[in-house]
Amino acid sequence: MYVLFTLFIPSIIGVRIINYFNKNLKIKDILYNYITLLLFSFIINMFIMFNFFGVKEDIFDALNSNIMLFIWMSLISIAVNIILCFIGLVIQKNIEFKIEVVENEVKTKTVSSNNNKINTKDSKNSKKTRKTVSKTVKKDKDK
């Protein structure tokens, strides 16, 4: 039970801080922020537990049985999440990603009925060619 408090609750605190600075976040963005904070804080907390507290076996059992380890890891986890949320805020405010989508130009072939010529046009001009072809066909039929 203590593991849940140690690992999941500090990420909620970090999301609340991010939500305080970004007022117009959607639920989807809040969920992404929570999952990101949870993932990075879990990795950092496991690194701290392995290297500084000497917990090499069952981490969840160690947190549930040792109250002092639970208190220390809870405080460290809160501090890690606060630092991570401020790093995330700085990244969100100062870094922009611009994605440019370039559409492929499709060439269409139109066949005119006068001389059986094949004209290749870009997709932008294809509507004009269809209209002109249909008009010439109608004129030919009227004759």
Side-chain angles (χ1 to χ4, degrees):
M1 184 71 181
Y2 293 135
V3 175
L4 297 176
F5 291 121
T6 303
L7 298 177
F8 295 117
I9 300 298
S11 296
I12 293 173
I13 295 169
V15 168
R16 295 291 295 175
I17 292 171
I18 291 172
N19 197 16
Y20 176 77
F21 287 108
N22 294 332
K23 300 287 184 191
N24 54 357
L25 287 178
K26 297 177 183 173
I27 299 294
K28 180 176 74 170
D29 296 330
I30 293 172
L31 187 64
Y32 289 152
N33 287 333
Y34 177 74
I35 291 171
T36 305
L37 280 174
L38 185 67
L39 177 73
F40 285 122
S41 70
F42 183 76
I43 291 170
I44 293 170
N45 286 335
M46 292 305 121
F47 177 76
I48 290 171
M49 286 181 71
F50 283 147
N51 293 324
F52 296 113
F53 290 106
V55 178
K56 304 278 185 206
E57 298 95 33
D58 191 14
I59 296 166
F60 300 110
D61 188 40
L63 278 174
N64 283 330
S65 62
N66 191 352
I67 300 297
M68 287 306 294
L69 181 65
F70 161 71
I71 292 170
W72 277 107
M73 283 311 299
S74 295
L75 294 174
I76 290 171
S77 183
I78 290 171
V80 164
N81 276 295
I82 290 172
I83 292 169
L84 285 175
C85 78
F86 283 122
I87 290 172
L89 285 171
V90 167
I91 289 172
Q92 285 177 357
K93 295 289 182 185
N94 294 327
I95 296 177
E96 292 181 7
F97 294 106
K98 292 183 181 179
I99 299 173
E100 184 176 330
V101 177
V102 179
E103 294 182 20
N104 294 335
E105 292 186 13
V106 178
K107 294 189 177 189
T108 59
K109 294 181 180 181
T110 58
V111 177
S112 65
S113 62
N114 294 343
N115 297 328
N116 290 333
K117 293 182 183 176
I118 298 175
N119 299 328
T120 57
K121 302 284 182 179
D122 290 337
S123 62
K124 294 177 184 175
N125 297 328
S126 63
K127 290 183 181 178
K128 292 180 183 177
T129 58
R130 285 186 205 143
K131 289 180 182 177
T132 57
V133 167
S134 64
K135 288 179 183 177
T136 58
V137 170
K138 288 181 181 178
K139 287 180 183 178
D140 291 338
K141 287 182 181 179
D142 291 337
K143 289 182 182 180

